[in-house]
Amino acid sequence: MTNDRSAALAALLLRLSLGVMFLAHGLYMKIMTFGLTGTMGFFGSLGYPPVLGAVVAIAETLAGIALVLGFWTRAVSLLAVPILIGATLQHAGNGWVFSNAGGGWEFPVFWIAALAVQALLGDGAYALKLNRLIGYPATPRAA
């Protein structure tokens, strides 16, 4: 049996996990390890426009930051899904298990499911609320 507090903490745990994963994949791997030039070259070698590599790396990094902060969680979760659909399609020919040569499709598909769950759950606990930042109350006032 869950209550509102445990659901909020569960959403927080999922949000932080997804955010850290996006930061590890976008910022650390694509930007810091391979560099934007290397990432763009890799995307080009797959037949995609090279600039798409930079777009994906930056989008993953921004999504990671937004999720960690709990900023526009539902929208960010849904907007990140196309990136993972692309990853799924890229890895589909390598089989199911992600440890296969070239990586399989199990991890990106699970990531899509986790993003969908996050979009349904919402921000969870300790999320940065835009209303609070600009000085409005977190909940609408009664008339």
Side-chain angles (χ1 to χ4, degrees), residues 3-140:
N3 58 37
D4 288 342
R5 186 69 184 149
S6 65
L9 291 173
L12 167 67
L13 178 60
L14 179 60
R15 192 184 84 226
L16 290 176
S17 299
L18 288 167
V20 168
M21 288 169 52
F22 270 117
L23 286 171
H25 205 257
L27 178 63
Y28 182 71
M29 185 185 81
K30 287 187 172 98
I31 295 174
M32 296 173 66
T33 302
F34 298 125
L36 286 179
T37 304
T39 300
M40 290 169 65
F42 176 70
F43 272 64
S45 75
L46 298 174
Y48 296 110
V51 70
L52 188 59
V55 169
V56 168
I58 292 167
E60 287 179 352
T61 301
L62 293 175
I65 292 167
L67 288 169
V68 166
L69 295 175
F71 191 69
W72 291 342
T73 302
R74 290 179 196 264
V76 168
S77 296
L78 293 175
L79 288 171
V81 168
I83 294 171
L84 277 301
I85 290 172
T88 300
L89 294 173
Q90 186 58 45
H91 293 286
N94 302 331
W96 177 66
V97 181
F98 202 72
S99 60
N100 287 349
W105 55 267
E106 77 172 305
F107 183 62
V109 168
F110 177 77
W111 208 345
I112 291 168
L115 285 167
V117 170
Q118 186 71 67
L120 290 169
L121 288 174
D123 299 325
Y126 307 109
L128 185 63
K129 301 288 186 184
L130 182 61
N131 285 348
R132 288 187 209 151
L133 288 176
I134 58 176
Y136 288 104
T139 56

